[in-house]
Amino acid sequence: MNTRRSPRPTQTNRTPAPVGDGSGSGRGPDVAATGLRMSRRAAVLALGAAVTALGGCGLRLGKGSPASLPSASQAETTRDGLARQAALISSTAGVVAQAGGTDATVAPLAEGVKQTADAQLETLGGVWEPWASQVPSSYPTAAPVPSASADATVQDLATALGDGSTMARRAAIGAASEQDTRLFTALTVAWSLQHDLIVPASSADTPRVDVAQGSRISAGLLTSYDAARYAMEEIAARSDDPQRTQAAEDAKAATSVVNAAVAAGSEDTRLGAYAAPTGSSTPDASGQVSWARQVWSAIVSAEVQEAGSAKASTPAREAAVTGAVDAARRATAWGADFSSLPGYAT
């Protein structure tokens, strides 16, 4: 280790030379002080100009709170509204599922609704929250995420699902983005089906044909409906009541869509016959039931795609959303099961 000290500076008895400006001009201390004051004044002026420029750019100095939150687009607002409704449905379903006096059949149903709503909420991107953690009360913030009361009932859950399906339907019809349209249409289908499980539909919706008002449909959707028409006629001919009656009604509904689409000038891609499934998709279902589930489930997917392709706020878009819900109800009546977002593919 080196312990030597550094040599001390050499001392001198000479009188220090007058302080100048260091430029060799021979200016004295008064002149240097004046130059220093000028430099400080220039710095103050420069700082003032910088503050003005920063203010014009919207930047703030110090720790003041923001004046407002960013403005969300219409699409972002719509999606956030649906996310909030999904959060409310999940919360309400959770309370109902855990309630002590809940009916034995309602509890698992409510739990299923909660799990589905959680998945839907994730697909929607969650509820937008401006701050990652708690902020001072002076900061602007968004409305709190809605949640159910501790004594929420099955009726409250039905109301949340009914309101949600109405919101999603309106959003699907008016959405500008093709992907958003398909997502919102699938959400309309999901919440409509879950609402039906709690409160069965008291009356039939307006038929797709009436909503379409003579609009054309794609060749693929036309073929899907004609395949359903063929399958339902075959099933009706081979079945006894009540299955025969159900199949006959479904065949009539599919036929009306096909005839209206052809009359409207849609590309006619119908086949003379359609093959039935080679086997039952589930052990507890007959081949005929599996066929019925298959054709109506295929229409759900086709209608969701059709909604995305149709122009916003048109009869064609509204008809596709209506058709998706109707086809899902018919598929469900045959025992089909759907994902959290029926017919939607990311």
Side-chain angles (χ1 to χ4, degrees), residues 12 17 27 47 58 68 132 164 189 212 273 344 346:
T12 178
R27 290 182 294 178
L47 178 59
S68 62
V189 173
Y344 178 71
T346 54

Side-chain angles (χ1 to χ4, degrees), residues 116-285:
T116 299
D118 289 342
Q120 293 162 346
L121 180 60
E122 182 177 354
T123 303
L124 287 166
V127 175
W128 181 73
E129 296 178 319
W131 311 108
S133 60
Q134 188 175 0
V135 297
S137 59
S138 60
Y139 277 54
T141 188
V145 180
S147 60
S149 61
D151 58 349
T153 65
V154 177
Q155 185 57 48
D156 293 327
L157 179 57
T159 300
L161 287 167
D163 292 344
S165 64
T166 300
M167 291 172 58
R169 179 185 179 88
R170 187 183 305 115
I173 294 173
S177 162
E178 180 176 331
Q179 183 175 356
D180 282 351
T181 300
R182 291 171 177 170
L183 173 58
F184 300 160
T185 300
L187 202 56
T188 304
V189 173
W191 285 343
S192 296
L193 292 180
Q194 290 179 328
H195 180 268
D196 291 347
L197 292 176
I198 300 174
V199 182
S202 57
S203 60
D205 291 337
T206 303
R208 188 199 196 283
V209 174
D210 295 342
V211 176
Q213 300 179 21
S215 302
R216 296 180 181 182
I217 63 176
S218 65
L221 182 60
L222 174 57
T223 302
S224 294
Y225 270 105
D226 194 54
R229 185 268 315 162
Y230 181 89
M232 293 301 100
E233 289 177 349
E234 288 288 319
I235 294 173
R238 303 173 187 176
S239 304
D240 297 325
D241 282 330
Q243 187 169 288
R244 176 190 297 172
T245 300
Q246 180 182 354
E249 291 176 351
D250 283 358
K252 182 179 178 181
T255 300
S256 67
V257 175
V258 171
N259 291 342
V262 172
S266 303
E267 182 182 355
D268 192 348
T269 55
R270 290 175 291 177
L271 303 178
Y274 299 88
T278 56
S280 174
S281 58
T282 56
D284 61 339

